[in-house]
Amino acid sequence: LLNTARCASVAAGRYIKAMAGQAHPVGSKGYANHASDVVTAVDLYAQELILHHLKPTIARYDLGLLAEEGDQDESRLNRHAFWTIDPLDGTQHFIERATGYATSIALVKRDGTPLLGVVYDPVHDALYEAVAGQGVSINGAPMPPMAQPKDTDRVTWFADVSLKRHPDFSR
């Protein structure tokens, strides 16, 4: 399953990289949050590429599916595990021709416990992968453990660009 996710993520990522730098019509999913609302034909085709790889595993192992683009069939609620995919995670960055996008695929137990995950950054040709209890690797090499912060009172907060429009942003 890890190899299937790896192949799917890299195939979609290479397609996305080939499409980068071009103008793409931007559609709307109808969400209130702009960063999660935008969609392009690149998102949709990248998802098709990923599903081409994952569908045989769905049938063989009776897995569910939660996909970013398109209608959901609720199979994730009825199966022991499900694939969850975001074919172009960071579409807004892609549209703006900036770095900061990737393909993301995970296999998750019905209760939400992650089993494995793969993220491919096509800009930097970096493949991150993890299997529960086995650590993280980048392009096949184990990722060293992160050092513990010395200042335990500091909090690092990550948010999308919509945070700047929040009424209390300046505060």
Side-chain angles (χ1 to χ4, degrees):
L1 293 171
L2 177 62
N3 190 52
T4 300
R6 182 185 300 129
C7 291
S9 190
V10 170
R14 288 186 175 151
Y15 163 73
I16 292 165
K17 185 175 183 178
M19 301 305 291
Q22 302 174 32
H24 298 282
V26 178
S28 169
K29 298 179 202 176
Y31 300 158
N33 181 307
H34 179 73
S36 60
D37 181 52
V38 294
V39 65
T40 68
V42 175
D43 294 76
L44 300 173
Y45 188 71
Q47 181 162 297
E48 286 181 36
L49 287 171
I50 291 170
L51 291 176
H52 172 78
H53 288 271
L54 297 185
K55 279 186 177 179
T57 68
I58 291 169
R60 181 173 183 182
Y61 298 105
D62 194 31
L63 301 173
L65 177 66
L66 176 60
E68 175 85 11
E69 314 305 340
D71 295 330
Q72 301 305 318
D73 65 3
E74 306 299 323
S75 63
R76 71 186 184 282
L77 304 174
N78 306 322
R79 305 295 196 287
H80 65 98
F82 61 95
W83 288 112
T84 181
I85 64 173
D86 189 343
L88 180 45
D89 193 359
T91 301
Q92 188 63 45
H93 290 281
F94 176 79
I95 292 167
E96 295 170 357
R97 300 178 185 178
T99 60
Y101 56 86
T103 60
S104 301
I105 303 173
L107 184 62
V108 181
K109 289 170 73 172
R110 182 174 39 199
D111 69 5
T113 304
L115 298 170
L116 64 87
V118 174
V119 174
Y120 180 63
D121 172 354
V123 173
H124 300 101
D125 192 31
L127 179 65
Y128 300 83
E129 54 188 67
V131 175
Q134 296 182 20
V136 177
S137 68
I138 304 171
N139 292 335
M143 184 172 145
M146 295 179 67
Q148 293 297 317
K150 294 178 182 172
D151 181 0
T152 57
D153 293 333
R154 181 191 296 182
V155 174
T156 302
W157 187 7
F158 294 92
D160 67 38
V161 294
S162 67
L163 180 63
K164 291 179 181 177
R165 293 189 298 274
H166 191 277
D168 293 325
F169 177 72
S170 61
R171 184 167 47 89

